Amino acid sequence: PRYAAYLTPSSPRFRLSSRWIETNPKNAPAYTARGEVYARKSDNDRAIADANKAIEINPKYIYAYSVRGEAYARKLEFDRAIVDFTAILEVNPNDAYTYGRRGNANWLKGNFDRAIADFTKQIEIEPNNPEAYRSRSLAYADKRDNASALADYNKAIEITRRGTEALRPQPR
């Protein structure tokens, strides 16, 4: 994959963050950066451990909650992921991406109404995000609200089609 070198313990980002930790063990961003490398390699326990250390050092360092929340979600620990994503949204209530991640965690947990609310908020912030409509359509479908599911899926297709058409060469 494109990021293979970035994701290994021998990658420059991993080595640099580890070196930062050695020289300054109170460096929350360094723990978070190394935790991100672990997370992207699906070493979720180490990712969580590094994010925990970063949060212990600086509880206001929101990016650590993001890394930890993603690792929890990959471990199917959705309640813990939702807590971390909520912490991010309390600080940055216009973070559309995090609404989507929390929506996915709620959806996978079976909290369809909460998932729909999160995807709706994501759509309010990013109305041209086809993935948000597609995700909300899945939550509606799981609630057996087929009309809403179909409407959202069609909207996702429409947005995608508009984006694709914008990339086509125009006649001169």
Side-chain angles (χ1 to χ4, degrees):
R2 186 171 133 203
Y3 298 107
Y6 168 79
L7 301 175
T8 64
S10 62
S11 72
R13 183 179 175 106
F14 185 88
R15 287 193 318 267
L16 181 60
S17 59
S18 293
R19 204 168 322 133
W20 285 343
I21 291 167
E22 288 172 15
T23 59
N24 180 4
K26 298 288 186 190
N27 188 330
Y31 279 101
T32 304
R34 189 173 72 179
E36 182 181 24
V37 174
Y38 284 135
R40 291 183 185 238
K41 288 295 285 180
S42 296
D43 191 344
N44 297 309
D45 291 329
R46 284 186 177 167
I48 290 166
D50 273 0
N52 284 340
K53 185 66 177 173
I55 291 165
E56 175 187 318
I57 293 165
N58 183 356
K60 294 182 180 183
Y61 189 59
I62 292 303
Y63 192 61
Y65 293 90
S66 178
V67 169
R68 188 174 71 179
E70 283 291 329
Y72 280 140
R74 284 190 196 102
K75 288 183 69 170
L76 309 181
E77 295 182 23
F78 300 121
D79 287 331
R80 294 173 114 178
I82 290 166
V83 167
D84 281 347
F85 297 147
T86 300
I88 296 166
L89 293 169
E90 287 171 357
V91 174
N92 186 0
N94 292 316
D95 185 345
Y97 182 66
T98 299
Y99 278 108
R101 293 187 303 164
R102 189 174 74 177
N104 283 329
N106 274 310
W107 175 63
L108 291 167
K109 190 172 181 249
N111 293 336
F112 304 128
D113 289 328
R114 289 181 185 159
I116 290 166
D118 282 338
F119 296 134
T120 298
K121 186 65 177 172
Q122 182 183 21
I123 290 166
E124 288 172 11
I125 298 167
E126 293 181 344
N128 292 314
N129 181 339
E131 185 59 30
Y133 285 97
R134 189 193 71 76
S135 295
R136 190 171 71 176
S137 78
L138 295 173
Y140 276 130
D142 282 337
K143 278 190 66 174
R144 305 282 191 251
D145 182 349
N146 295 330
S148 296
L150 185 59
D152 273 359
Y153 203 76
N154 284 335
K155 183 69 173 179
I157 291 169
E158 174 192 326
I159 292 168
T160 302
R161 187 175 296 138
R162 273 196 322 248
T164 303
E165 288 172 1
L167 296 174
R168 287 188 187 149
Q170 301 298 316
R172 293 179 190 219

